[in-house]
Amino acid sequence: MGSSKKHRGEKEAAAGAGAGAAGSSGPGTAEQAPRHREHKKHKHRSGGGGSGSGGGGAGERRKRSRERGAERGSSRRGGETEARNGSAHGRERSQVEPVERRVKREKRDDGYEAATSSKASSGDASSLSIEETNKLRAKLGLKPLEVTAVKKEAAGTKEEPVLADVINPMALRQREELREKLAAAKEKRLLNQKLGKIKTLGDDDPWLDDTAAWIEKSRRLQKEKDLAEKRAKLLEEMDQEFGVSSLVEEEFGQRQKDQYSARDLQGLTVEHTIDSFREGETMILTLKDKGVLQEEEDVLVNVNLLDKERAEKNVELRKKKPDYRPYAEDESVDDMFKPRSILAKYDEELEGERPHSFRLDRGGTADGARERELEEIRANLRQQAQSLTMAGPRLASEYLTPQEMVTFKKTKRRVRKIRKKEKEVVVRADDLLPLGNKTSEGDFGSRLRGRGRRRVPEAEEEREAPSQLPQSDDTRVENMDISDDEEGGAQGPGSPETLEEDQVEAELQKQLEKGRRLRQLQQLRDSGEKVIEIVKKLETRRSREEDEDPERKGAIVFNATSEFCRTLGEIPTYGLAGNREDQEELMDFERDEERSANGGSESDGEENIGWSAVNLDEEKQQQHFSASSTTILDEEPIVNRGLAAALLLCQNKGLLETTVQKVARVKAPNKSLPSAVYCIEDKMAIDDKYSRREEYRGFTQDFKEKDGYKPDVKIEYVDETGRKLTPKEAFRQLSHRFHGKGSGKMKTERRMKKLDEEALLKKMSSSDTPLGTVALLQEKQKAQKTPYIVLSGSGKSMNANTITK
Amino acid sequence: MRTEAHAAAAAGGPGRQGAMIEVVCNDRLGKKVRVKCNPDDSIGDLKKLIAAQTGTRWHKIVLKKWYTVFKDHVTLGDYEIHDGMNLELYYQ
């Protein structure tokens, strides 16, 4: 049944009112007012119900009422809540209402409407009355509501606006006018009072027009005069009586007699120099300006003179004389008497100006007698003074003046001592001869001759035959034979006169020399012997050996071909292939074996020589080779000789990989290229002279076994995250590496964005919207435990968190 | 009726100001109560009154006004809750 709680409440309220439970239902009517409209709609139906239940069901309805007063326990509340939804609701509806009840109810409703008109308009707000509230508060332990019985706020509330006082503008204006009038009247009165005292022009004296009045006035005046005279006379008489009159007369007389004369000027100072006053000139002196409170004596000045003095002072200042002259000397006699003080230039500033002045003596006169006397004295002194200035510097003359010459005395000329010249000794070559004895002795410190004393006899000989020059050491050595005869001979004629040094030492030297020579010879002999031995050996061993170059005994010969052969390297040259001429360095394994087989213990010298164990066969071959060493093409090794020969053949044909393929690995500074099967052949290495030799430029063949092989080339490029790159991207990556620089900022950002979008795309779910709406929906439903979702209200108030019920 | 009116007037009901205010609490789910209280009552007391009227427990009530959560220890006057103000009723 569709009747709402509202209706029920209303009915209850109405019933309650009817039953007389004013307090309980009073608040209950509060919310009825708006529903009243609705109620009226359903009047026919619910009205009856309401009134029907009014009598009997009041108590019940009260139970079911949503009004919860303090007196109702919680149990009732619970009952009410149940009953609200219960079927008891329907019971009321079934009751039939008589019509008069409807009318009554209407009346009541009106009343309630009036009563509740002031209540809030929104629906379903339950409220307690004040008493109930107070009871509730008492139960809770709160103080009761503060209710002031009649307290009217001026403004009132929204619900019940209070009438403001009526402002009567007319009355206000009238009052104002009255006030103004009163004020004006008052002012007028005051003015009149003031003005009343003053005589106006129109208000003349009466006697001006009227002669009689004038006569009267004149008479009166006369009378007053007379009276005044009389009084004066009386006063004088009184004075005379007392004897005061004479004094008074005296005073008056004195004042007239006393006149200001020159006498009065005695002692006054005049602030000028006497010199500034010239004879026969009149100058007016005035008192110098002085402060009012200054108690000093008066000073007389002449204005013009003052100005002149000031001008002079300014001129002096403008001349810019030096301020400070520390070493100022007295320029004149006068200055001597001036007291010198330190930094006199500041005296005026610090102590103030002290102008020249003189005093007037008795009678107001002044004469400059004293000054003149002082002047005379000064003049005298000046005359007597001696100046300390010396004669100024004069340009000195270069020559003596005649006067100066006079002063000189003639001095004797001193005879100069002339130095004697020494007689020159004519030196002739003959004289040098005896000297030559000492100087021309050659060979200072030659070891061969000891200390050069052995040459003395030779020198002597030379002297006899001066043309004979002393021989050098080397030549002497060369001329020496391997014998000691010369020595002995040389010694023979040695004159003992010049042998100054120890003969022992000479002997020692001699012996040493001898020994050295002998050793050398021995060496030579030894080597020679050695060679001979070796040759003999060789001859015995290789009787058919060619004549060997004696020079090749101990020498190791290098040439390009031998080097080449050496670098052929690991694989020994077997058989007859290759250069056989220079085979000292070749590792001949067979030869070694033979050698070892032969058991020849070879000395180092023999190995150097190289031709050690020789097979007869090989000898032949070697002979052949040595004969044909100049041919260009090598003879092919015979393959049936063995594996070695075959290998050699293969090598020569290039079937064996002997060259080391140089593969340059590019060292990437950041990251290497992602593709693994790739290497860069460094073409620069080809330019090496020696490395080029290792290339094989000959004939190559494909392998037969790998005919059908078709390589499935699949080059995969990846970027740093591991993603496979498209060809375009791969090329871009390559070109970045090649050029050494990547994309700019914009480009990389775009690329990143694109990658992100791709990633997002991958992450997108197929069954849901990008925001995951379906998932959210399901979550919400789970939380709500309802299969639906209510979309209403503001997001904040309808959160799942806030609604717990 | 008249007695009611008088009572209302005498009590200084919502129309007239005592130092008593009536606050409306609404939880937008059908519960709306008008509670009379003093301005110097604390929010906690108000909650108790509300609880007495609505039938919940007072400490389960949260009074809010658009994100402003009213704290229990502050008075209505301090929160400047005047007569007739609407408060949002939530539960925790």
Side-chain angles (χ1 to χ4, degrees), chain A residues 119 128-134 145-151, chain B residues 3-21 36 38:
Chain A
K119 308 301 176 188
L128 302 174
S129 71
I130 292 179
E131 287 89 2
E132 285 170 3
T133 312
N134 278 327
L145 291 171
E146 288 165 25
V147 168
T148 54
V150 190
K151 187 187 174 188
Chain B
T3 50
E4 272 181 42
H6 280 304
R16 307 282 177 95
Q17 278 306 314
M20 177 193 90
I21 59 175
K36 292 183 181 60
N38 292 328

Side-chain angles (χ1 to χ4, degrees), chain A residues 68 111 120 122-128 130 133 136-137 142-148 157 160 796-797 802, chain B residues 1 4 11 14-20 22 31-34 36-38 40-41 45 49 52-53 67 90-91:
Chain A
R68 291 175 193 84
S122 54
D124 280 356
S126 67
S127 176
L128 302 174
I130 292 179
T133 312
L136 177 61
R137 287 172 77 96
L142 304 169
K143 62 179 184 177
L145 291 171
E146 288 165 25
V147 168
T148 54
T157 58
E160 214 172 12
K796 280 41 174 202
S797 61
T802 57
Chain B
M1 168 178 111
E4 272 181 42
R16 307 282 177 95
Q17 278 306 314
M20 177 193 90
E22 192 174 34
K31 259 200 211 127
K32 187 167 171 180
V33 290
R34 301 168 67 86
K36 292 183 181 60
C37 51
N38 292 328
D40 58 355
D41 285 343
D45 302 336
L49 292 167
Q53 282 193 268
Y67 287 138
Y90 294 94
Y91 302 93

Side-chain angles (χ1 to χ4, degrees), chain B residues 54-66:
Chain B
T54 56
T56 63
R57 274 174 285 182
W58 74 272
H59 58 264
K60 287 258 182 212
I61 289 172
V62 174
L63 288 173
K64 273 197 201 177
K65 210 157 169 62
W66 182 252

Side-chain angles (χ1 to χ4, degrees), chain A residues 766-794:
Chain A
S766 58
S767 62
D768 202 354
T769 60
L771 295 172
T773 310
V774 175
L776 282 175
L777 192 73
Q778 284 176 347
E779 245 181 62
K780 188 75 190 273
Q781 283 176 348
K782 259 189 239 168
Q784 292 281 62
K785 297 188 186 64
T786 53
Y788 59 87
I789 284 183
V790 180
L791 302 169
S792 75
S794 65

Side-chain angles (χ1 to χ4, degrees), chain A residues 571-767:
Chain A
I571 296 171
T573 51
Y574 290 108
L576 304 169
N579 254 320
R580 291 279 163 179
E581 273 187 354
D582 315 318
Q583 283 178 351
E584 295 96 11
E585 314 305 320
L586 291 178
M587 287 206 291
D588 296 335
F589 292 112
E590 282 187 4
R591 290 241 179 83
D592 281 336
E593 283 173 32
E594 285 174 20
R595 246 183 267 150
S596 56
N598 290 336
S601 61
E602 293 117 5
S603 62
D604 289 347
E606 288 170 6
E607 275 188 7
N608 283 341
I609 291 164
W611 307 97
S612 50
V614 172
N615 267 340
L616 287 171
D617 295 339
E618 284 184 356
E619 274 178 38
K620 285 181 201 162
Q621 288 155 14
Q622 279 164 20
Q623 266 189 346
H624 280 294
F625 272 122
S626 58
S628 64
S629 60
T630 55
T631 57
I632 296 159
L633 284 174
D634 300 333
E635 277 200 23
E636 278 200 8
I638 298 161
V639 184
N640 60 0
R641 282 206 32 84
L643 182 63
L647 279 171
L648 194 65
L649 177 68
C650 291
Q651 189 204 349
N652 286 341
K653 296 257 185 224
L655 302 170
L656 292 171
E657 207 180 273
T658 53
T659 60
V660 177
Q661 187 187 5
K662 274 199 181 165
V663 177
R665 292 253 161 226
V666 175
K667 283 183 183 62
N670 306 327
K671 288 176 202 170
S672 58
L673 285 170
S675 181
V677 185
Y678 184 78
C679 65
I680 297 169
E681 193 173 9
D682 189 10
K683 305 245 190 259
M684 288 310 296
I686 289 167
D687 291 333
D688 291 342
K689 181 180 161 195
Y690 295 103
S691 64
R692 212 179 283 178
R693 257 192 266 131
E694 291 162 20
E695 284 176 8
Y696 180 77
R697 295 194 184 108
F699 169 70
T700 56
Q701 270 181 334
D702 288 334
F703 290 106
K704 296 271 170 31
E705 309 91 60
K706 303 233 169 178
D707 258 343
Y709 173 63
K710 279 238 170 356
D712 177 27
V713 177
K714 193 173 169 210
I715 301 173
E716 274 294 322
Y717 295 102
V718 286
D719 70 349
E720 57 264 7
T721 56
R723 246 169 21 99
K724 301 273 187 281
L725 295 174
T726 62
K728 182 181 176 186
E729 286 176 347
F731 178 75
R732 179 169 286 133
Q733 195 183 54
L734 174 76
S735 74
H736 285 167
R737 285 283 341 275
F738 175 78
H739 290 290
K741 63 179 172 97
S743 325
K745 177 174 158 250
M746 209 59 219
K747 244 324 188 297
T748 47
E749 273 179 10
R750 280 221 198 96
R751 187 168 155 267
M752 288 302 137
K753 218 167 62 173
K754 210 181 282 182
L755 293 175
D756 290 339
E757 275 175 15
E758 275 179 39
L760 268 177
L761 199 69
K762 283 195 192 144
K763 274 199 261 174
M764 221 170 64
S765 76
S766 58
S767 62

